[in-house]
């Protein structure tokens, strides 16, 4: 837990850094193999005389890869290094872009999709990652093509490559910081095409500055196809990347909260009480996330899935019961085990349905290691000896993110408020202060960087949200 405004900074571990090195190595070798194949096919390298040149070239490519983007990620973006799936996706986007460009140049430099990495990464990661990856990718492509031009028999349209390099750097930067904020895929497509049109005009302007004449129908067609085509290709690749690497993007989060998603649909049909509880928690969580500067889409998705484990035994949870309570005939330790099981069962169901870990991990964090007090107290009443509270506590882990902490408080707060006979702002405020104090004392926020100020904002936000959700209806003259 963050105290006095000082944040606990979690650096990537040695294992995570080594894993990232392995991912970068695979991407590097893929690029090197593609360059070797191209030069071999074009007979750029023939005989032992020029083999040393090839080896130097490939060694330099690997050096550029490891001592630029990899070092940047390790030193400046530890969160990217820690997220194996996202780091692999970014490296894959870089490798695909580099390989596509060097082979597109074989037909025409105008056809090169030099901004494709920026278009892909801008949606799956932060704008900063897209910007750095785009600069690195264009520099690497330019380096490969310039070396190709200086090899025996090598030929490159120098002015076209220079113009496309400038297009890639400038246009890719605009994409990284302008297109990355779009949560709707259609908006991304429209903005991406707009950037593409202006970047085509910029290339023609550069050619005019060089005194060249690029205005043939063929060059115009190739430039338009290469520039605008990459937007469409990236548009198609984005959901594929999200699915293959199981990534969290705002678009994916919106899709996960669709009521027709398999687990949500099951929750609605098999555990309607839990479903309605999840909707209420989601409304609170979204407001709280906005209030403390967290992603509201992630908060809503986590709230939707946090109790999916109750699908295994829905009738054992109060919100799904009518008049019969199956716990009445069970020993308290058995009841506690069933209740505790919904966290691990939730994680299992989420993993089976390929729900991203950023969402599924909250299923085992939202109760932390707190006891199931109802059955712990029941056990103490039924026995003369001491009762070990650990036997009635959740065997999970405490929240490791602010979103998980939000879900913990909104979940317990919503349930406790609904249990009140006549909830009002003053009683709700007192209840929330108690819940927060208990969780701080129990060390439930020790592993996340949430601050006392954040907790106070969350408390106030829930009180405000409570006023909207539990207000009394105006009674009309006819009694309705």
């Amino acid at each position: 837990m963050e105290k006095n405004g000082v944040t606990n900074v979690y650096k990537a571990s040695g294992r995570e850094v080594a894993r990232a090195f392995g991912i970068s190595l695979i991407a590097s070798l893929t690029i090197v193999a593609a360059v070797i194949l191209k030069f071999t096919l074009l007979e750029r390298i023939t005989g032992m005389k020029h083999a040393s040149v090839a080896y130097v070239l490939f060694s330099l490519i690997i050096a550029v890869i490891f001592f630029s983007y990899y070092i940047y990620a390790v030193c400046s973006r530890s969160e990217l290094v820690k997220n194996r799936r996202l780091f692999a996706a970014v490296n894959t986007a870089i490798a695909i872009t580099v390989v596509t460009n060097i082979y597109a140049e074989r037909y025409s430099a105008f056809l090169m999709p030099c901004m494709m990495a920026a278009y892909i990464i801008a949606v799956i990661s932060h704008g900063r990652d897209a910007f750095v990856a785009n600069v690195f990718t264009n520099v690497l492509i330019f380096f490969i093509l310039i070396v190709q031009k200086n090899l025996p028999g090598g030929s490159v349209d120098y002015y076209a490559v220079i113009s496309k390099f400038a297009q890639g750097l400038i246009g890719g930067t605009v994409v990284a910081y302008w297109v990355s904020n779009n949560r709707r895929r259609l908006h991304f497509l429209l903005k991406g095409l707009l950037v593409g049109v202006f970047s085509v005009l910029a290339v023609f302007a550069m050619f005019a500055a060089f005194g060249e004449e690029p205005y043939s129908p063929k060059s115009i067609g190739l430039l338009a196809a290469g520039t605008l085509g990459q937007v469409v290709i990236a548009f198609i690749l984005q959901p594929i990347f999200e699915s293959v690497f199981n990534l969290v993007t705002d678009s994916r989060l919106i899709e996960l909260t669709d009521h027709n998603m398999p687990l949500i649909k099951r929750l609605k049909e098999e555990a309607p009480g839990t479903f309605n509880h999840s909707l209420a928690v989601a409304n609170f969580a979204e407001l709280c996330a906005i209030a403390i500067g967290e992603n509201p889409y992630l908060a809503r998705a986590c709230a939707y899935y946090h109790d999916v484990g109750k699908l295994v035994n829905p009738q054992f949870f109060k919100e799904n019961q009518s008049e019969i309570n199956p716990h009445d005939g069970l020993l308290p330790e058995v009841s506690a085990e069933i209740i505790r099981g919904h966290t691990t069962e939730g994680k299992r169901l989420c993993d089976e349905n390929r729900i991203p870990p950023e969402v599924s991990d909250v299923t085992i964090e939202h109760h932390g290691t707190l006891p199931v007090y109802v059955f712990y107290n029941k056990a103490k009443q039924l026995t003369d000896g001491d009762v070990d509270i650990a036997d009635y506590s959740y065997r999970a882990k405490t929240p490791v993110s602010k979103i998980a902490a939000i879900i913990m408080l909104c979940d317990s707060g919503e349930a406790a408020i609904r249990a009140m006979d006549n909830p009002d702002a003053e009683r709700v405020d007192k209840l929330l202060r108690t819940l927060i104090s208990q969780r701080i004392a129990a060390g439930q926020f020790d592993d996340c960087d949430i601050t006392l100020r954040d907790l106070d904002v969350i408390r106030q936000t829930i009180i405000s949200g409570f006023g909207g959700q539990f207000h009394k209806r105006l009674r009309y003259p006819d009694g309705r």
Side-chain angles (χ1 to χ4, degrees), residues 348-405:
R348 178 183 63 80
L349 287 171
C350 285
D351 290 345
E352 288 177 357
N353 286 267
R354 297 199 76 241
I355 305 300
E358 289 85 348
V359 175
S360 65
D361 284 352
V362 175
T363 61
I364 56 173
E365 294 174 12
H366 73 281
H367 284 297
T369 56
L370 293 170
V372 185
Y373 282 108
V374 172
F375 299 111
Y376 171 65
N377 292 330
K378 184 178 178 180
K380 289 200 297 183
Q381 293 173 0
L382 294 177
T383 182
D384 295 330
D386 293 333
V387 178
D388 189 353
I389 197 171
D391 293 336
Y392 293 85
S393 299
Y394 284 93
R395 302 188 189 97
K397 60 181 181 179
T398 56
V400 296
S401 68
K402 290 186 179 183
I403 293 293

Side-chain angles (χ1 to χ4, degrees), residues 80-100:
L80 180 61
V81 174
K82 288 166 70 69
N83 191 331
R84 171 180 52 84
R85 294 167 293 111
L86 182 57
F87 190 73
V90 169
N91 276 265
T92 301
I94 292 173
I96 290 175
T97 302
V98 172
V99 172
T100 302

